[in-house]
Amino acid sequence: MGVAAFDVENGAEKRHFIDETGAVPAETFEIGDTLYARLQRLAGRARIEQRGIERVPENERTDKSLAKVGTLWLSANMVVSTFAIGALSNSVFHLGFVDAVLTIFFINLLGITPVCFWSTFGPRFGLRQMVLSRYYFGFHGVKIIAIFNILACVGWSAVNVIKFSNIPMGFGSSEAGSVLSLSASVFGFATGWTSYAADYTVYQPVNTGRTKVFLWTFAGLAFPLLFTEMLGAAVITAIVNTPDYAVAYKDDHVGGLLAEVLVPPLGRFGEFCLVVLALSIIANNCPNIYSVSLTVQIIGRWTQNVPRFLWTFVSTLVYCAIAIPGYSHFESVLENFMLLIAYWLAIYQGISLSEHFIFKRGYLGYAVEIYDQPSKLPPGFAAIAAFCIGIFGAVMGMAQVWFVGPIGKKIGDPKSGGDVGFELAFAFSAISYIGFRWVEFRRFGR
């Protein structure tokens, strides 16, 4: 079954056919007298979204407001955690303000581009990001990627809770290493939404222009990331000449620094602003927990048969429990976690972009009707092999507190090194995937 639609792009209008195979109407979730159906009816009465990873039919893609896409990302990123990423520039990496600002600017633009790109897939196919990933990693291989994504969603939410708890109610070769290490943290934060990107555009009509989706997503991400991280870099740099800032930061980390900046000059209003900043963490956690419930459903048929709101509830309990031990180590937790995010998503991007541009040759290479048919999707062997080689690349270039790779040691201070893990992870995974995928396609024909 299919429907005709118009694809509007750069002023041109092209008529094309939409295959609705595999699309699941919303009313089917409530049919029957099973526990699943009763819970879904309960969710419907509470106006909780019932749909999981099932493809969205064209007649249910009725949200034409692209401004919502932009403001979603703006609200999720204009938060205290973004400020804290900028503050790492001096507190952890000891960079001057100009170096920090240039790094923040260019690396953020690099990091958000994949998020904007994959956001354009939602209207086109009506599929969530992890479901789209089956076209790169295969029906079963994507389950490994899903586990990484679950860890990222829950882990990032836990980092945000730690940040909430902390709010009280150079020059020479070493500089190169610091710039690269800050770049990895900034990249990890900016590109961290890649594995969720299409989740938030699946209700846009299929004829929504891809350029418009890309630009609204870009604006919604770029403004809060650049402004808030640069603000964090500016304030943390000011502690050099402001003893009160230095004391506050030493005692209570970024939360104490914000309190010292706001409360003395603004009094009660400053305290109110602190509360608002603390609550902004909720906006950052919403996409994480929304998408983790979708990702859990990728793991198996049984997880898909559990209503999504239950997975959201369980995930919330888990990330709150994880956050408790990390209360007093926010900066180190944030830095290390962002680097790990950068590594795994660079591998994901290296494989997915290679498949999209070289093997699928664009959007027309996707047979959307096979999204839930394991025998017709790629086997996934090439992707998993390339993923492992990407991990090897990340290890070679990483510069973590607990390990500095042999290539990372060559950059900057030999003791701390400079992190080039995400760059090597991308290169190793992309190059190896192209070779493996060619062999896989010749062998299996899919």
Side-chain angles (χ1 to χ4, degrees):
M1 179 181 177
V3 296
F6 291 92
D7 187 15
V8 181
E9 188 69 28
N10 297 324
E13 194 173 75
K14 299 183 294 182
R15 186 178 178 88
H16 64 88
F17 185 79
I18 306 163
D19 193 327
E20 291 280 70
T21 303
V24 180
E27 59 269 17
T28 60
F29 299 119
E30 299 185 4
I31 295 175
D33 195 38
T34 62
L35 177 60
Y36 174 84
R38 292 198 296 271
L39 288 172
Q40 289 285 37
R41 286 194 289 270
L42 177 64
R45 287 194 291 271
R47 301 185 66 82
I48 297 172
E49 185 183 21
Q50 300 160 301
R51 181 177 301 280
I53 59 174
E54 302 83 8
R55 187 183 176 204
V56 183
E58 167 59 15
N59 64 352
E60 293 182 27
R61 298 186 223 168
T62 57
D63 186 357
K64 297 181 180 181
S65 175
L66 284 172
K68 291 181 181 178
V69 177
T71 54
L72 163 74
W73 295 122
L74 185 147
S75 62
N77 288 280
M78 189 166 276
V79 296
V80 176
S81 299
T82 314
F83 179 93
I85 289 290
L88 291 176
S89 61
N90 185 276
S91 63
V92 173
F93 302 114
H94 310 294
L95 289 173
F97 179 68
V98 174
D99 293 330
V101 165
L102 290 174
T103 302
I104 288 168
F105 180 80
F106 288 109
I107 299 301
N108 267 306
L109 297 188
L110 175 67
I112 66 176
T113 298
V115 187
C116 303
F117 173 68
W118 270 295
S119 292
T120 66
F121 283 63
R124 178 86 176 194
F125 301 119
L127 294 173
R128 311 286 189 168
Q129 188 66 41
M130 280 293 105
V131 179
L132 283 168
S133 301
R134 289 173 174 170
Y135 290 89
Y136 317 130
F137 294 88
F139 187 89
H140 298 292
V142 79
K143 296 174 183 180
I144 298 174
I145 305 307
I147 292 171
F148 276 87
N149 201 41
I150 291 167
L151 294 174
C153 292
V154 173
W156 185 225
S157 296
V159 168
N160 282 331
V161 172
I162 296 170
K163 179 68 260 159
F164 180 92
S165 304
N166 271 287
I167 296 180
M169 306 270 154
F171 299 95
S173 62
S174 61
E175 183 180 46
S178 296
V179 167
L180 288 168
S181 295
L182 174 63
S183 296
S185 294
V186 171
F187 180 81
F189 191 92
T191 209
W193 307 110
T194 298
S195 54
Y196 319 163
D199 294 355
Y200 304 99
T201 54
V202 293
Y203 290 107
Q204 298 286 331
V206 71
N207 60 358
T208 305
R210 293 195 297 271
T211 301
K212 292 180 179 179
V213 175
F214 186 99
L215 292 177
W216 272 103
T217 306
F218 187 90
L221 287 166
F223 174 70
L225 288 172
L226 295 177
F227 172 79
T228 314
E229 286 179 14
M230 289 179 184
L231 181 62
V235 174
I236 200 68
T237 304
I239 70 173
V240 176
N241 298 314
T242 313
D244 290 344
Y245 288 4
V247 172
Y249 181 76
K250 181 180 180 181
D251 291 342
D252 294 302
H253 309 290
V254 171
L257 179 60
L258 284 169
E260 185 63 31
V261 170
L262 293 171
V263 176
L266 299 176
R268 290 290 186 184
F269 181 68
E271 294 176 358
F272 171 76
C273 291
L274 274 181
V275 174
V276 173
L277 286 171
L279 293 175
S280 72
I281 295 302
I282 297 172
N284 192 264
N285 273 5
C286 283
N288 294 321
I289 296 306
Y290 180 91
S291 290
V292 75
S293 61
L294 294 166
T295 306
V296 170
Q297 291 195 326
I298 286 288
I299 299 296
R301 299 290 185 185
W302 71 273
T303 57
Q304 191 175 351
N305 290 331
V306 176
R308 268 184 54 217
F309 70 88
L310 293 178
W311 290 126
T312 300
F313 177 72
V314 170
S315 301
T316 301
L317 296 178
V318 171
Y319 77 67
C320 287
I322 292 173
I324 295 172
Y327 169 75
S328 60
H329 309 285
F330 174 70
E331 276 76 10
S332 61
V333 170
L334 180 63
E335 176 201 353
N336 294 327
F337 186 71
M338 283 302 99
L339 293 177
L340 292 174
I341 291 290
Y343 301 153
W344 101 261
L345 283 176
I347 297 171
Y348 176 89
Q349 292 164 9
I351 293 170
S352 302
L353 291 173
S354 298
E355 176 68 25
H356 176 80
F357 288 108
I358 297 175
F359 296 98
K360 295 222 170 2
R361 299 182 181 181
Y363 296 91
L364 295 179
Y366 294 80
V368 70
E369 68 277 5
I370 68 170
Y371 80 93
D372 58 350
Q373 300 177 37
S375 62
K376 296 182 180 179
L377 289 163
F381 301 124
I384 298 305
F387 195 90
C388 293
I389 291 179
I391 292 174
F392 173 74
V395 171
M396 294 290 288
M398 69 167 52
Q400 294 270 13
V401 174
W402 36 272
F403 180 78
V404 180
I407 296 177
K409 286 181 180 178
K410 302 292 184 182
I411 303 168
D413 186 334
K415 293 182 179 180
S416 58
D419 198 294
V420 289
F422 84 84
E423 295 94 334
L424 292 180
F426 181 91
F428 278 46
S429 60
I431 294 170
S432 61
Y433 179 75
I434 292 169
F436 290 148
R437 182 69 174 124
W438 183 82
V439 174
E440 182 182 69
F441 189 80
R442 287 284 299 264
R443 171 65 178 83
F444 295 97
R446 55 187 171 96

